[in-house]
Structures are given as C-alpha cells and as structure tokens.
Amino acid sequence: MVAAGAHRPGPLKQQNKAHKGGKHSGSSQRRAGGRVSVKAQPRRRLRDLSRVDRRHQAMQLRRQRKEAVLAEKRSLGSRDGPPHLVVLVPLHSGAAAHNTLHLLQSQDSAIVRVPEGRAGDFALLCPRLKQRWRFVTAQAGDLHTVLDLAKVADSLLFILDPADGWDSAGEYCLSCLFAQGLPTYALAVPGGTDLPPKKRIDARKKLAKAIEKRFPEAKLFPLNTEQESSLLLRHLATQKQRHLVFRDRCPHLLAYAAEFVPSQESDLVGTLKVSGFVRGQTLSVNSLVHIVGHGDFQISQVDAPPDPLSLNPRVVKGQKRSQDMEIQSDSANGIDEMEEDTKVLMKADPKKQESLQSEVVPDPMEGEQTWPTEEELQEAEASLKANRRVVKVPKGTSKYQAAWIVDDGEEGSEKDDDDEDDDDDFEDMMEETLPQEGESSEEEGEPAEEDCETMTIPESLRDDQYDEKMKEDEEMLERYKQERMDEMFPDEVDTPRDVPARVRFQKYRGLKSFRTSPWDPKENLPRDYARIFQFQDFSRTRKNLFRQIEKEETEGALVGWYITVHVCNVPVSVMDSFKEGKPLVLFSLLPHEQKMSVLNFLVHRHPSNSDPVRAKEELIFHCGFRRFRASPLFSQHTSADKHKLERFLRPDAAVVVTVYAPITFPPASVLLFKQRSNGMHDLIATGSLLSVDPDRIVIKRLVLSGHPFKIFTKTAVVRYMFFNREDVMWFKPVELRTKWGRRGHIKEPLGTHGHMKCHFDGQLKSQDTVLLHLYKRVFPKWTYDPHVPDPVPWVRSESALPVQEVEMD
C-alpha cells in the first residue's frame, strides 16, 4: 500500500547531465565521429611489462651507460686509443709552468719523448700503467694558441698562482674558454713552499674561496713533489670526460710532426704532410680538411707510419736505458726509418672527393629572354614621348649626345637614388670627407723643402702620442652619445630639408602591423644572394648527417690510428707558423661545410666590455673550429617572421647577429671579438649558432616625428614632419601613431610648407609626438675574410668611459 501524500517531482526539477567516461580512448573515438587520422601513431603500452620487468629494464640501461663511460676512460690514452692530450694553461704571469713540466717528466718507470724543435711539448709513456700522455704548453698571453689547443684537448691543466690564483689576463682567458666550451679540467698549484705552514694553510683557504665562483666543487692539487704529480695524473686519467659537440661529430687531429714539400710550379705552395692521432670520428680521405686559421684544403693521400708513441717500442741497437727514466728525441734516423715503414692506407677518389667550391658563380644572362610584343613596343614608344624634355644644346649636337646632357636638378636626384641611402652612410661620408679636407689644407700650407731647416725639439713638446689618445677618447665619446640617443629616441631621424622625403625614403614602405603584415622573403634580393647556397630543408639535412655519423657508415682511418695526411695546395706560411711553435690543428669538414650561406648567431653582450658596438663594424668571429672577420647586422630575437634591425649591440637583451659565412651545423659556440687600434682583441659577446637561413627577414625601421600645432577634438594640425605639400600627399596612405598610444591618418595637406591636417581616434595632448613608421629590408655586406691577424697579448683597457659620465647636449 502506497503511503498517502508521497512527493512527486514537478516540472521545475533540476535534470543533471549523464556522466561521461572521461578522456580515454573510447570517448576520443566517439568524439571523432568515425573519422580516422591520416597517420595513426602506435602508442607504446607500458602495461605489457610488469613492475619487475620495468625495474630490470631500467637497471640494464643504467648499466649500459656506466659501461660506456668506463670504456671511454679505458680507451683514452691506452694502446688502442689516442694519447691523453693534456694542455697546460698558466693563468698567472708568475705561475711556474716550467717546474710543472719537470715534475710530470720525473715519473717512475716512464719514458719521455720530446719532439724535435718543440719547446714545452713532450709525450709520457707509462708501460706499467698502460697509459700514454701528451703534454702541450699554451704560451701565456697567446689567445689563439689557447683557444686552438682547447678545441682538441682531452684535459686542460690550469696552473694557478699560490697567492692570487689568476690575474686579469687569466680571467680574460677563462672567459673565452668558458664561452667556447670547456673540456675536462684540473687545477694545479705549484710553489708556495717558501711560506710558513700556518700562512700556507690560510693562503690555500683564500685561494679555494676565490676559485669557488669559477670552479664550484673543484679540487686543488698541490704540485711540489713527484708523489703529488702522480696523484694529479691519476686524477686526470680517471675523471669523467666532458664532451664538446662541435668536435665530437667530426674527425680532428693535432699535428705531432709536419713536413712541407713544395710543388714544381712554385715554392710558396705545396703539399703539407701532417702526422698525428685521429680523434673524434673516422677520417675519410675524400672529405675536406680545415686547418684552423688558414682555410679549407683537399686531401690526396693518407699514410700509416709506425706509431712513435707506442707502449712497446722497438729496441734500437746501441741504445742504453737509464735506471728509472728514459728521455728520447725524434732524430733524423728515426724519421728515415718511419718513412721506410710507411704504408699507404688510401688515396683520394676524384669522383667521390668533395669540391672546394664555396660560392655559386652567377650567370647574368641566365634569366629568360623573350622578344617583346607589339603592344609592349607601342607602350615603350609612348613612354619615351611622354618623358621627352627640351634641353638647350650647342649647334651640331646629335640626339645621342643630347641625351647625356644632365640638368642640375637631375644630377641631385641621381645622387639621391644611390644604394647608400641610409643615415648611417651619411655619417660615414662625413667622417671620410673631414680628414681629406684637412689633408689637402695641410698639403697647401706646407712650405718647400728648400725653405725648411732642421732643429731639435725638446721632449716636453713631443705630445703626438698623447694627442692621438685624446682623439680616440673624442671618437669614443661621440659613439657613446649616438648609443644614448638611439636608446632615448629609437629609430627616429630628422626629415631632410634639402632633399624631398619621397626621394630620400623611396625604398621604404609602411606596414599596417609589423607583426602580422606579410613580407615576401624572395622580394628584391641583392646580387650576393646569387652566390650563396640554400637548403630546401636545413633541419632535415642536419638530422640525416648526424644519423649517418652515429651509424659510422663512413670508411677511413679509425679513431686512435697514427696517420700522415697529405694536404694539397697549402701555402708555405702554414709550415712557417708550425715552426714558430704555433699548434697545427686539422678538422675534417662535414658535407656542405665549405659552402657560403647566411648564418644567424644568438649572442649576449659580455659584461666585461661596455664599449658601444655599431652594426656593420668589423668584428672577429670564433665559430666552432673556424675564425674569420666580417661586418654583421644586429637584429632582435623574436618568434615572428620579421625582425627589427638594431643599430647597436644591446647590453641588456639577446641579439641575433647575421653574416655571410661558411655553413656550420648547430650546435656550435661563437665568440665575438673587436680589435683595438693597438692590435688587442676584446671579447664583446658570446653565444651560439642559431640557424643557417637566408630567408630570415631583417627590417630596418625609420621613424619620422612631427608635433601637434593646433589640437581639436579628434583632429590636429601637425608640422615639422614634412616640409612640402608633395611629401604629405605621398605619405598620406601610411598610418600615424603617437607616443601616447593614439592612432590616426593624414587627412589633407595645409599650405605648401608641410603642415597637414590629421585625424586620430582621440584627442591629443599638447606634449604628445606624432610618429610615422617606415620599413625597409636590409641585408648583410659581403665582408667575409678568413684571415685573422694574431692578437697582441691582452691587457685590461683603462681608457674606456663609463656610461654614466656621458652627458647629452
């Protein structure tokens, strides 16, 4: 029996939705409505493995990684691998590198091999430990030597001063090494035994605190006895190796011996025979090699001479061994024996050998040539009739001669149509003309030699050098002012009064939106773009190359082999630098790395340098294993398809540097240096290779400014932006903006002196400024130069002006 008065739901009862199953495979398929994706990606089902199996799989992967690290440690310096290359880098002028070398040579039951004519370079063979080492000392203050040896070194041994650690030059050297990529390192402190024991402990604590910022968790190794040197060697042999990507992906070697054979045509060019141990990857005879600091070359042959640093050397008759240690030198007889035992491994195949062509040779007649139609001929004749002008000419002048007579007005317009039309080039022209005028005035004012007499000038009057320093300070002050003006008024220029604005800015255009407005990357390309190479898909090419390197599909000399590489058409200056004690480093190039393209680097300003650096100034680049000189462009680093040009290298933001340079596959480090007038190289920026992309659009922006003269509700009369009526009509379609966020457009010109009536989306303030933005795509200049002069030993500059002291007029 139903209870009386039971409640029944009415029409306003809340109806909740049915429960959905959640975001699992069934619901996603139901939402798809029966549609099937183009490419079904099979999902990896972890449920197939039990918990014990997953734990076992993780343990196997961990064991494989550990075994790979141990195998790398055992192969380095062993009989089958290359010798452990240790580069000694003194970081202080008072660091005793010579005592360090002597201690390392005094190992028990060790054989020391000293190459002939190479000071500070020796090999240490330990048959008992089955280890072999090669120690090379980098010259203090020689920046190129330190960076070149660090590119190929297995370990860096920094020599510190027991009291100060490192000086300003050592700090500068460390900054460059950290930016390039630091391999495995160790810190050694020779000396300090003359201090009392208590002060010795205090000095050690002070030094450990000083190096904590640069080398956190680093261990200091005292180096005063043979036992301490043995501990240091054991540490170098057992520590985990740090990898540098740009050198691990390509074969390279450091020359142990070299020989130059001049060619029959000239003694200045010949074949360079470089002997050394292969490192990194397998070396192919058909690939190109890059000699660091000298350029790209081809290989003709690869030989396999006997290993001079073998742990089981052949015993030569008449050779006596000392009790504990034996020092041997590579004599001429030993070299002759090696030449007799040399075996030819491989010779280059002309069909498979890489070409040295770095640029495309453009054909100016490559474009399609078609005969004009009758309509086009009639249009051409009509345009000629319309462009006819009346010119007063002498009697007897032909039409051809009259066409070459130029009026004064046309002469000025031709000058304005020149390619060098931006404001930077106007300033450069002014700087060039001023000294020329001064030179001419001096030449006119010079008296004849007969009227001159010789007299002695006291030392107090010889102030030429001091005046030169003052001129440099004035130039630096002017650069600081320009940089400050660009920060305060970015991209703003004054409208010229002697040249019409429509002529001066004829290559610029207006954009509705800098971010979303389209810009064709193939539009109006310069002639230099016909000389470069471009990939259809650069990332795919890079992945295929690296995948091929990982599979080790190339054939050639394996890692650890001692070989002799015959490099063709090498100038004799390469051998001269090797005889002077400079390191000779060879890197094998990957495919396409000898070809020119447009490289983009992402860099940050180095905090040690605050001098203003303008775009298109000549800088020195250290990119991977290359170094070259070029005049780059600076642009903003954004995710858009257009990037605004920066006139100066900004200290507070990342900047993209664009240059013409040989193709390099990222990742690769980059260092930017600027050469002083005295030959020193200052580190101004560090970063990495961003992309190889000629289609990256760099846009230069110009801002014309005007001031409101009469202000109404939504209109205003603006002046000082233009100075004639025709310019106002020419730029009428371009949108106007103000510094306070108003937007508008030009309505009509007023009068003949450039005043114009403008309409805005709100009322202007009297202190507001009206702006008109113009844009033009810019390209880098072809200033690539692979020759970089050796720098003078670096000294900290004290003449730089702090930014806060610069006053604006």
Side-chain angles (χ1 to χ4, degrees), residues 417-653:
D417 291 342
D418 193 13
D419 291 338
E420 306 295 332
D421 60 345
D422 52 340
D423 54 322
D424 298 337
D425 297 331
F426 276 119
E427 294 173 3
D428 296 341
M429 290 168 60
M430 291 298 295
E431 293 175 0
E432 290 175 3
T433 53
L434 287 175
Q436 291 176 1
E437 294 172 1
E439 290 172 4
S440 62
S441 62
E442 288 179 3
E443 290 177 359
E444 294 173 0
E446 283 184 358
E449 294 184 359
E450 299 176 356
D451 301 335
C452 298
E453 60 180 1
T454 306
M455 61 180 297
T456 305
I457 301 176
E459 291 289 336
S460 60
L461 298 179
R462 295 179 180 176
D463 295 336
D464 296 341
Q465 297 180 354
Y466 190 80
D467 291 341
E468 290 179 0
K469 293 182 180 179
M470 292 300 295
K471 292 179 182 177
E472 292 180 2
D473 290 346
E474 290 177 0
E475 293 177 359
M476 187 63 67
L477 180 62
E478 186 65 27
R479 288 189 177 185
Y480 275 117
K481 286 184 178 181
Q482 292 176 3
E483 185 180 26
R484 180 64 65 85
M485 285 289 291
D486 189 56
E487 290 180 3
M488 295 171 62
F489 308 101
D491 304 323
E492 289 192 31
V493 296
D494 295 331
T495 307
R497 306 195 64 170
D498 54 343
V499 181
R502 63 186 182 279
V503 176
R504 173 66 181 83
F505 306 118
Q506 60 184 346
K507 292 187 178 181
Y508 292 81
R509 69 180 72 173
L511 294 179
K512 180 71 175 177
S513 171
F514 183 80
R515 185 178 61 87
T516 59
S517 296
W519 197 300
D520 186 7
K522 304 296 184 183
E523 176 187 356
N524 294 333
L525 298 179
R527 287 183 175 269
D528 290 336
Y529 264 54
R531 303 165 59 184
I532 64 173
F533 290 84
Q534 184 176 5
F535 295 94
Q536 187 175 5
D537 191 344
F538 178 74
S539 59
R540 185 176 60 186
T541 306
R542 173 177 170 271
K543 288 179 181 178
N544 292 338
L545 276 176
F546 289 176
R547 192 180 298 116
Q548 183 180 358
I549 292 172
E550 291 177 359
K551 292 180 180 179
E552 297 182 357
E553 296 178 358
T554 57
E555 297 180 358
L558 299 179
V559 177
W561 288 7
Y562 183 78
I563 61 172
T564 299
V565 181
H566 295 244
V567 188
C568 305
N569 300 324
V570 179
V572 70
S573 58
V574 180
M575 189 64 191
D576 295 338
S577 66
F578 181 69
K579 290 180 179 178
E580 293 174 0
K582 304 282 185 181
L584 187 58
V585 181
L586 271 70
F587 275 87
S588 179
L589 297 181
L590 298 176
H592 313 296
E593 282 197 328
Q594 79 277 13
K595 300 173 182 177
M596 297 290 291
S597 187
V598 178
L599 270 63
N600 302 304
F601 305 101
L602 180 62
V603 300
H604 293 264
R605 189 68 184 266
H606 197 265
S608 64
N609 187 279
S610 60
D611 295 342
V613 181
R614 293 192 64 172
K616 300 181 184 178
E617 280 191 35
E618 186 182 75
L619 301 178
I620 297 171
F621 290 76
H622 288 240
C623 175
F625 50 79
R626 292 184 183 272
R627 59 172 175 260
F628 55 89
R629 293 185 292 177
S631 300
L633 291 179
F634 303 144
S635 59
Q636 293 180 352
H637 178 51
T638 59
S639 59
D641 59 342
K642 296 180 289 296
H643 312 273
K644 192 177 81 70
L645 176 76
E646 292 285 352
R647 287 178 169 81
F648 289 89
L649 188 62
R650 298 295 181 190
D652 53 349

Side-chain angles (χ1 to χ4, degrees), residues 144 147-148 150-152 180 244-253 288-296 585-594 621-628 662-665 667-671 784 786:
H144 283 180
L147 293 179
D148 291 348
K151 290 180 176 73
V152 295
Q180 177 180 271
L244 300 180
V245 181
F246 73 88
R247 75 175 184 185
D248 289 342
R249 68 189 178 206
C250 57
H252 57 276
L253 61 88
L288 302 178
V289 292
H290 175 79
I291 302 179
V292 177
H294 299 283
D296 303 336
V585 181
L586 271 70
F587 275 87
S588 179
L589 297 181
L590 298 176
H592 313 296
E593 282 197 328
Q594 79 277 13
F621 290 76
H622 288 240
C623 175
F625 50 79
R626 292 184 183 272
R627 59 172 175 260
F628 55 89
I663 293 171
T664 304
F665 292 99
S669 60
V670 62
L671 286 76
Y784 173 78

